[in-house]
């Protein structure tokens, strides 16, 4: 019989806390079971295994990130929305160094919660891009540009990859300012520059 109060959601939330403490790569089912005070086989009543746990952790993380991006963009447009969402993204990655990497996986098509969370995150970015007049294929390209730039920066920052003496905050501000310029002057599809 499952432990009273133990649910798939409590297992995933505890896994998220552990991942933030020790890193996603060091998260194990045994650590989750120990933290929850249950035997390892008891977890299988709530999650099918390590891969399923990582998928559910990814769904949780992208939902959290999407909520924060959506809240950051509320009532803002253009450069202000871009700055707010980029700041929310970076702040989430800093506060949740273990679960943030899990947010980068593509949602599993058979997991409606993960798909919905991924859609919400993408919609937050698309809303910003519409403010720049970017829709359709241009919005897809611009969303990939935004994600690549911001994710690349926060990943390098988390790994200690910026050793030059200039302040990292200023460099991040410049990255976001460069994205603003790029989105305002987005190349016409199909035409070389």
């Amino acid at each position: 019989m499952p432990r009273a109060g133990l649910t798939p959601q409590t297992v995933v939330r505890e896994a998220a806390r552990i991942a933030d403490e020790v890193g996603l790569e060091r998260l194990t089912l045994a650590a989750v079971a120990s933290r929850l005070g249950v035997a390892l086989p008891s977890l299988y009543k709530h999650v099918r295994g390590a891969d399923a746990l990582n998928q559910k952790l990814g769904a949780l993380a992208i939902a959290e990130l999407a909520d924060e991006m959506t809240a950051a963009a509320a009532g803002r447009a253009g450069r202000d929305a871009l700055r707010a969402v980029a700041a929310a993204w970076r702040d989430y990655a800093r506060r949740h160094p273990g679960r943030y990497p899990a947010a980068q996986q593509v949602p599993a098509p058979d997991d409606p919660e993960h798909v919905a969370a991924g859609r919400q995150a993408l919609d937050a970015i698309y809303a910003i891009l519409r403010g720049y007049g970017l829709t359709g294929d241009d919005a897809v390209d611009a969303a990939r540009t935004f994600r690549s730039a911001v994710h690349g920066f926060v990943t390098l920052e988390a790994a200690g990859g910026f050793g030059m003496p200039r302040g990292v905050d200023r460099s991040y501000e410049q990255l976001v300012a460069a994205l603003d310029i790029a989105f305002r002057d987005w190349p016409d599809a199909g035409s070389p520059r």
Side-chain angles (χ1 to χ4, degrees):
M1 168 170 269
R3 187 181 106 185
L6 194 61
T7 66
Q9 293 79 18
T10 58
V11 170
V12 172
R13 291 213 174 271
E14 194 58 44
R17 283 189 282 279
I18 293 169
D20 283 343
E21 292 168 14
V22 302
L24 182 62
E25 69 285 348
R26 295 183 64 207
L27 174 66
T28 64
L29 288 172
V32 177
S34 175
R35 183 73 67 87
L36 292 171
V38 299
L40 180 57
S42 298
L43 283 188
Y44 290 101
K45 295 176 178 114
H46 304 286
V47 64
R48 291 185 312 256
D51 289 343
L53 178 62
N54 284 335
Q55 179 182 329
K56 292 297 183 189
L57 180 54
L60 170 71
I62 195 64
E64 290 174 342
L65 180 57
D67 286 345
E68 292 190 22
M69 289 190 312
T70 300
R76 294 182 168 93
R79 179 186 301 176
D80 290 339
L82 180 66
R83 283 181 178 158
V85 169
W89 187 303
R90 184 179 182 211
D91 184 54
Y92 182 86
R94 286 173 155 179
R95 285 190 342 267
H96 300 294
R99 66 184 87 174
Y100 173 75
Q104 302 313 308
Q105 55 188 298
V106 173
D110 62 343
D111 185 343
E113 290 176 24
H114 202 173
V115 170
R119 173 52 56 193
Q120 182 187 355
L122 189 55
D123 286 348
I125 296 168
Y126 280 163
I128 294 168
L129 297 174
R130 279 192 302 276
Y132 288 95
L134 299 172
T135 60
D137 289 345
D138 285 338
V140 172
D141 294 338
R144 288 176 175 161
T145 299
F146 173 81
R147 181 179 180 210
S148 297
V150 172
H151 172 70
F153 193 101
V154 301
T155 301
L156 285 166
E157 181 179 28
F162 296 125
M164 292 182 255
R166 184 167 174 81
V168 177
D169 290 343
R170 176 71 176 144
S171 295
Y172 193 70
E173 291 170 11
Q174 291 296 89
L175 173 75
V176 176
L179 287 171
D180 173 58
I181 291 167
F183 295 154
R184 282 189 280 126
D185 191 28
W186 197 254
D188 292 333
S191 63
R193 284 232 162 204

